[in-house]
Amino acid sequence: MSPASKVRIRPARPDDAPRVARLLALRGISVEEALDQAPRMIDALPVLLLASLPAPGGAAESSPDGASELTGQPARSVHGEDPALADSRAVPVALSGAFLLPGDLEEGRPERWMVSGLIVDPDARRRGIGRSLLTAVGAAVREIDPGEDLFSVVETANHASVAAHLAAGFEEAAHVDGYAGLVFDGDALLMRLPGAAEA
């Protein structure tokens, strides 16, 4: 069974702040900053999903689509372990979310759903976990706002992230050097996951 098939993706909860902070710290911010930002992210983002793998020697098993809480399916565990206990033992390996970016008339940019970032632990990369997480973020946005597209800005030099987005169904919308006030060192791609009406 591949790691992506064992991943458990679920909405981040207030008690996940230390798990979220651990992943935020992978972006190069201090542990203190990460611990400060994590609760605010959990509270502010309409979609914030945490991906975890069973602890080594642990017993958590995800639902067939890897997104049990998103699909309403009950979490399962092997060896009869309590799903809550299995979840508490799971190792957080990735984080992503989405928010509704207000439109900007001066820039001619309409209001749109944006991926808030994708963080995958270096030890869990190249296993399909980023793709699974982006797919789950897209499903969560469609559940909140059916038919709306989801956008993401990815630096073109980040080949792994571009590949994960493409594998999750995103398509290149435009090359940009900045977006919504963010300026990139190099070229970036505005990527679009078509809403349910087009998918």
Side-chain angles (χ1 to χ4, degrees):
M1 198 179 281
S2 72
S5 65
K6 294 180 185 178
V7 71
R8 178 167 188 209
I9 298 172
R10 63 167 178 77
R13 304 179 300 245
D15 64 332
D16 287 319
R19 290 180 177 101
V20 170
R22 176 193 170 281
L23 293 164
L24 290 174
L26 293 174
R27 285 233 161 129
I29 63 173
S30 72
V31 172
E32 293 79 20
E33 288 174 296
L35 287 168
D36 184 52
Q37 288 179 14
R40 290 196 315 261
M41 280 185 77
I42 293 168
D43 186 49
L45 290 176
V47 176
L48 185 62
L49 303 180
L50 184 65
S52 300
L53 288 173
E61 181 181 306
S62 65
S63 65
D65 64 2
S68 60
E69 291 190 20
L70 292 177
T71 61
Q73 298 297 315
R76 296 181 297 160
S77 65
V78 295
H79 309 302
E81 184 175 20
D82 176 6
L85 180 59
D87 186 54
S88 71
R89 292 182 183 171
V91 178
V93 294
L95 178 73
S96 188
F99 64 97
L100 194 57
L101 179 69
D104 186 320
L105 293 176
E106 286 183 28
E107 291 182 16
R109 185 188 69 242
E111 176 180 85
R112 55 177 47 151
W113 281 94
M114 295 293 301
V115 171
S116 64
L118 173 64
I119 303 170
V120 180
D121 186 308
D123 292 335
R125 291 181 184 161
R126 303 189 58 80
R127 301 179 189 184
I129 294 169
R131 175 192 43 80
S132 295
L133 187 53
L134 286 169
T135 299
V137 169
V141 168
R142 281 191 300 276
E143 189 173 305
I144 293 169
D145 206 349
E148 288 300 311
D149 295 342
L150 174 63
F151 290 84
S152 186
V153 178
V154 183
E155 292 188 26
T156 54
N158 189 344
H159 301 290
S161 185
V162 171
H165 280 77
L166 291 171
F170 283 79
E171 54 194 36
E172 293 182 24
H175 282 266
V176 296
D177 55 9
Y179 192 78
L182 297 175
V183 178
F184 303 98
D185 290 333
D187 189 37
L189 289 172
L190 176 64
M191 303 189 80
R192 173 181 164 263
L193 180 65
E198 296 180 44

